[in-house]
Amino acid sequence: MDLIIATLTKNAFVTALAITGLVMFFSHILSKYLTNNKLQSSAIAIILGLVAAYFAGLYTGGEKGISDIELFSGFALLGGSMLRDLAISSTAFEVDVKEIKRAGKIGIIALFMGCIIPFVAGAGIAWMLGYKDAVSMTTIGAGAMTYIVGPITGTAIGATSDVIALSIAIGLIKSVFFMIATPLLARFMHLKSPRSAMIFGGLVGTTSGVAAGLAATDVRLVPYGALVATFYTGLGCLLGPSIFFLTVNAIF
């Protein structure tokens, strides 16, 4: 047993990848047999990851969640900024502006409304919670757009680690909400055509939430919604540390 633990610890990044694969497989089983695929496996995996990070933090008293445990230290790299930025870049390469145009003007309007409305709501919540400086309000507001835009914006404008963590948390809550709620609200939102899926992706923005929610609604709609949602992430990363921050800084 000691030899196995020593080997897994020595190859921490490979161990992290293997554990992530097992969690995804376990989440798929739970989704299939407990929820009849009504709750997407990615949503279950995110919830399990958050629970594991919470209890690992309580156990170690550390600041990096489960990666504070030596055996799981590979998660520090797997969940770090380098692979995060690589994931963003890889998805951005799939964006084709010509495809975006298929959504028409209303799709472009939805894209900008999808960025502005959650940002204003997130910045407003931050202000009510006592974060009244421009950097914190912008970072938390960007997190309300997606949990990717939040930390990128916060890093760019010099936010503290606890504010960046809050921005990730609010983005994750949004993502999980749409993973669960999309199939339940699809009929009410008339979510049944590629065009409606692209508008939905532009308004919601979070790629994982849109993709998982549409997969549970109608898998044929996933590429359309995910395409615009990916574009949303790139647009949010541009607007967050620039126009949004300058606007908040000018007001507050």
Side-chain angles (χ1 to χ4, degrees):
M1 180 58 72
D2 292 340
L3 179 61
I4 294 175
I5 293 176
T7 303
L8 293 176
T9 303
K10 186 177 180 180
N11 300 279
F13 184 64
V14 177
T15 302
L17 289 173
I19 292 174
T20 302
L22 289 174
V23 171
M24 287 302 301
F25 177 74
F26 181 63
S27 301
H28 177 72
I29 297 296
L30 291 178
S31 173
K32 183 177 181 179
Y33 292 105
L34 289 185
T35 72
N36 195 26
N37 292 322
K38 295 296 182 184
L39 181 60
Q40 285 299 297
S41 57
S42 52
I44 296 174
I46 288 175
I47 294 171
L48 292 176
L50 291 174
V51 171
Y54 174 75
F55 283 104
L58 290 180
Y59 174 72
T60 63
E63 299 178 351
K64 298 180 181 178
I66 200 169
S67 64
D68 281 327
I69 301 173
E70 188 177 9
L71 178 62
F72 305 120
S73 59
F75 281 99
L77 177 61
L78 187 61
S81 59
M82 182 180 72
L83 292 180
R84 178 199 63 195
D85 295 343
L86 175 63
I88 295 170
S89 301
S90 63
T91 54
F93 274 113
E94 297 178 3
V95 172
D96 187 342
V97 177
K98 293 180 180 178
E99 295 292 336
I100 295 290
K101 291 181 180 178
R102 292 183 182 180
K105 291 182 180 178
I106 193 170
I108 302 299
I109 293 172
L111 195 59
F112 278 94
M113 287 181 62
C115 289
I116 294 172
I117 293 174
F119 176 80
V120 172
I125 291 173
W127 186 84
M128 288 188 290
L129 293 177
Y131 293 93
K132 299 187 177 182
D133 60 287
V135 171
S136 299
M137 290 178 66
T138 303
T139 302
I140 296 174
M145 295 163 67
T146 79
Y147 59 83
I148 293 176
V149 176
I152 288 178
T153 299
T155 302
I157 61 178
T160 59
S161 58
D162 59 326
V163 171
I164 291 177
L166 280 175
S167 74
I168 295 173
I170 192 171
L172 283 173
I173 291 171
K174 176 183 177 182
S175 180
V176 172
F177 171 80
F178 280 104
M179 287 178 186
I180 298 170
T182 300
L184 302 177
L185 300 175
R187 188 173 180 181
F188 171 75
M189 295 187 293
H190 300 284
L191 198 55
K192 55 185 178 183
S193 68
R195 189 165 182 263
S196 64
M198 284 195 276
I199 294 172
F200 176 72
L203 286 172
V204 173
T206 169
T207 306
S208 55
V210 168
L214 290 178
T217 303
D218 184 346
V219 71
R220 293 172 298 180
L221 301 178
V222 172
Y224 300 98
L227 178 72
V228 181
T230 302
F231 196 81
Y232 175 108
T233 301
L235 181 63
C237 291
L238 290 174
L239 293 176
S242 57
I243 295 175
F244 286 171
F245 173 65
L246 293 174
T247 302
V248 173
N249 193 44
I251 297 174
F252 296 91

